[in-house]
Amino acid sequence: MTYNQTHKMMISKYFSKSQLKGLLKTGDVILPGTQSSPSFSSTGCIDHIDRMAKYMAEDDLAGLKMLFSVLRWMPKWVIVLLMKLCNHSSSFPSFLGAGLRMIEIGLKGVTLSPYYANLTASGYKGKKVYDVIGWHPKFLVNEDGIPLKEALIKLDNPEPEDVAALYKRAKKAGPEIRDWGVKKRLEFISNLKAVILKNQEYILDRLQADTKKSRFDAITAEIFGVLDFLDYLEKNAVKVLSDRKVATPFALMGKRSKVYFEPLGTALLISPWNYPFYQAIVPICQAFIVGNAVVFKPSSDTPLKGLVEELLDQAGFLPGWVQIVYGQGRKIGNALVDGQPDKIFLIGSQPVGKSIMERAAQYLIPVELELGGKDPMVVFEDVNIDRAVAGAIWGGFTTTGQSCTSVERLFVQESIYERFKETLVKETLKLVQATDDDGNADIGPMTTQAQVKTIAAQVADAKDKGAVFLTGDDWDGQSEFVPPMIVEGVTKDMAIDREENFGPLLPLYPFSSEAEAIEMANDPDYGLSASVWSQDLKRADRVARMIYTGNVSINNVMLTEGNHALPFGGVQKSGFGRYKGEFGFYAFANIKAVLIDQNSKKMEANWFPYTAKKYKIFSDLTRALYSPGRIGGLIKGAFYGLKLETYVKKLAKRGRK
């Protein structure tokens, strides 16, 4: 591929996108290229413009920005004419000639310098300027005469020294990311949206190759969900992360209070195998937009190896901002925790969560865990049965049941239980299960063989203990095409009732009353998500409040995740902490309290020295401010406050005596 085909979307800390286009156009006028030499734009040397701008005088930089904003909209022939006028600046009156000379110096300096310094973009494959002109500069070498270059970090099954190096790189990148500011960081998010849209089919191919899920599952849950989240960041990040004024109490009159939201530094993110693209991009961008460097560890079962890096690079993310580590086993996870990031965010199993949390405790690293669920769906007798059945089927079997928030326990009120069951079985048997490439299958096979074995064990246990399989009874216990299974007669001694069913298993239970439904929904002690279905919205709301969980959808299923303004997380065995929504920003932020006072001669009443008279006045002030009677209290408070301030001034001048 040529450089222009692979060129990432550049973002400058100092120039807007429009100004960069003006620079690019001007560069190609000054350096259009020849048969032997490349043009200014083809080299991608514009990618290095910030290296020059960083050291420019503020006035000079402002002048260039204004000039490029104008040149952006000028036809090339006008720029050609302008450069010719600059070449004849001596023919013009002194003030005009001086201005033209300054324009010439600025435009040629900012284009010729990176071009002849051979600063090309990483994707450039053309002839180097040095080779064309037959001249090479000296380069730095160490004492052994070996050229200096950054040591390569092994990110695939890294050794301890690699982990130390990647954290060193992340800690160096952290202040750089923070310095860009939220608005500029959002430009990278916007670029990433465009890159994902452009590469949508390629991403889907990679997703299906790793996960085996149906193409429609992949596009809705992974592509659409990611783009919608990035859209949420674009619309809300600046507002949520801006400094916030908060109220200052009467007793602190004359002072101001603020809250700052600052990055923590380096965030370690560990994701599961079931939604490898969504659970990569969403937490990475959530941590990044706050200003953190990211170390990301995907599951070894569905690593999408190289894909996320490729997309981030095309979007303009700089090296060190997001580093992705690959490998299997606890060894790498332990090493990454031992590298002492500033925050750990894990989506995974309970055993892994406990292990990570225990190790992080040694370093007092804050941890957030999302550890899966045992999500109930409660269906009351006044529902539209066809719609509720459709919701149950999708909620139970989307992604072949391999979702943390899939329906794992379906409770149906006794009066409609038989009708509901009949419709549920009939509609489930219509599902198309296949590996597709055109979006024509409902669900695919299981993603991992290990999970096939887990489901087989749960199925065998349920059958041995008397459960009835209304669908999928003919599964051989080995094929990765595990069929959707509706199971009746499930009891508490069965693994299918107590353990998370990370597969297409849907136990069906009848209930008689609202109280019984709530009791059943709250057992066992998971609490990630739930859904409540009823025509009576007051009842639905009442039950939703009584279910101990982090998320509830009313008359829908798994829908809280569809609104990125809502926080996401669980309680009890499902973990703790929240990401996404406003609270998701704060998960990766240092929330700093700031109180601002005037730099005056005023002494505070609570400072030394203490005297009996000061105690008496302060005691009267306390009673006045906080006794019943708001208006009278404020008047008395103002009186004693003024009295106290007068006395404190006297103490400051005369001292205790």
Side-chain angles (χ1 to χ4, degrees), residues 43-340:
T43 65
C45 60
I46 192 175
D47 283 10
H48 301 271
I49 196 65
D50 278 4
R51 293 170 60 181
M52 180 185 299
K54 181 178 180 180
Y55 298 100
M56 291 181 68
E58 193 172 324
D59 289 345
D60 292 342
L61 182 58
L64 271 179
K65 291 169 72 173
M66 182 176 66
L67 191 57
F68 288 134
S69 294
V70 174
L71 295 175
R72 160 71 177 91
W73 302 106
M74 283 187 177
K76 278 192 175 182
W77 68 265
V78 175
I79 301 175
V80 171
L81 179 60
L82 176 63
M83 297 310 300
K84 287 182 178 179
L85 290 175
C86 289
N87 290 336
H88 296 87
S89 58
S90 58
S91 303
F92 291 87
S94 58
F95 73 93
L96 188 56
L100 289 171
R101 282 192 295 276
M102 291 302 295
I103 290 174
E104 181 180 27
I105 291 169
L107 294 181
K108 287 187 175 180
V110 81
T111 54
L112 296 177
S113 296
Y115 183 82
Y116 284 109
N118 213 44
L119 299 177
T120 56
S122 58
Y124 177 65
K125 304 297 182 184
K127 209 168 188 180
K128 302 290 186 181
V129 175
Y130 289 168
D131 296 329
V132 174
I133 63 178
W135 175 80
H136 290 258
K138 295 178 180 178
F139 49 83
L140 295 174
V141 297
N142 64 18
E143 60 188 11
D144 297 321
I146 301 172
L148 295 175
K149 60 170 67 175
E150 186 176 336
L152 292 177
I153 301 173
K154 181 185 174 188
L155 296 176
D156 195 347
N157 288 302
E159 298 298 329
E161 59 269 22
D162 297 304
V163 173
L166 75 87
Y167 272 113
K168 183 178 179 180
R169 192 183 195 194
K171 291 182 185 300
K172 183 180 178 182
E176 178 186 45
I177 299 170
R178 174 176 177 162
D179 190 43
W180 279 75
V182 179
K183 287 185 179 179
K184 274 292 181 181
R185 291 197 290 270
L186 276 176
E187 291 188 26
F188 294 93
I189 298 299
S190 298
N191 277 1
L192 184 58
K193 263 180 66 178
V195 169
I196 292 171
L197 278 171
K198 181 181 177 182
N199 293 279
Q200 178 173 296
E201 294 304 315
Y202 170 62
I203 296 168
L204 289 171
D205 289 342
R206 291 292 309 275
L207 273 166
Q208 286 193 290
D210 273 23
T211 67
K212 307 173 188 175
K213 63 177 63 179
S214 75
R215 204 166 183 86
F216 204 94
D217 258 341
I219 192 171
T220 54
E222 306 254 28
I223 301 292
F224 184 88
V226 162
L227 294 173
D228 199 47
F229 175 76
L230 299 183
D231 189 67
Y232 171 80
L233 291 186
E234 288 178 318
K235 294 173 180 175
N236 295 278
V238 172
K239 177 183 176 181
V240 173
L241 293 172
S242 293
D243 297 346
R244 188 171 303 177
K245 293 180 181 178
V246 297
T248 302
F250 178 80
L252 299 180
M253 185 180 292
K255 301 168 177 58
R256 293 177 292 126
S257 302
K258 287 187 174 184
V259 177
Y260 299 162
F261 303 99
E262 300 175 345
L264 293 169
T266 301
L268 170 61
L269 314 176
I270 304 173
S271 76
W273 51 261
N274 56 335
Y275 292 97
F277 189 67
Y278 182 94
Q279 301 293 18
I281 300 297
V282 169
I284 284 173
C285 291
Q286 185 90 74
F288 167 78
I289 201 62
V290 180
N292 299 283
V294 173
V295 175
F296 177 69
K297 169 67 174 68
S299 166
S300 57
D301 289 316
T302 55
L304 298 177
K305 204 163 189 178
L307 174 64
V308 175
E309 299 96 315
E310 182 182 347
L311 300 176
L312 292 174
D313 180 66
Q314 287 184 42
F317 281 68
L318 300 184
W321 287 11
V322 179
Q323 298 176 86
I324 301 180
V325 180
Y326 298 98
Q328 287 185 325
R330 180 173 294 188
K331 178 182 175 182
I332 292 176
N334 288 346
L336 291 174
V337 175
D338 291 341
Q340 299 186 45

Side-chain angles (χ1 to χ4, degrees), residues 4 51 63 137 174 184 202 207 251 310 357 359-360 403 409 437 472 493 503 508 520 528 567 577 646:
N4 286 330
R51 293 170 60 181
K184 274 292 181 181
Y202 170 62
L207 273 166
E310 182 182 347
M357 189 175 176
R359 201 169 192 91
S403 173
R409 294 174 296 146
D437 59 6
D493 62 334
L508 183 63
M520 294 170 75
L528 185 58
T646 302

Side-chain angles (χ1 to χ4, degrees), residues 212-214 217 397-401 431-436 441-445 481-484 504:
K212 307 173 188 175
K213 63 177 63 179
S214 75
D217 258 341
F397 303 132
T398 182
T399 316
T400 324
L431 293 179
V432 175
Q433 186 172 25
T435 301
D436 68 317
D442 297 308
I443 58 175
F481 283 94
V482 181

Side-chain angles (χ1 to χ4, degrees), residues 400-420:
T400 324
Q402 299 168 112
S403 173
C404 302
T405 56
S406 62
V407 177
E408 297 203 5
R409 294 174 296 146
L410 177 54
F411 304 112
V412 181
Q413 199 157 15
E414 287 176 342
S415 58
I416 63 167
Y417 181 82
E418 291 300 328
R419 282 189 293 145
F420 192 98

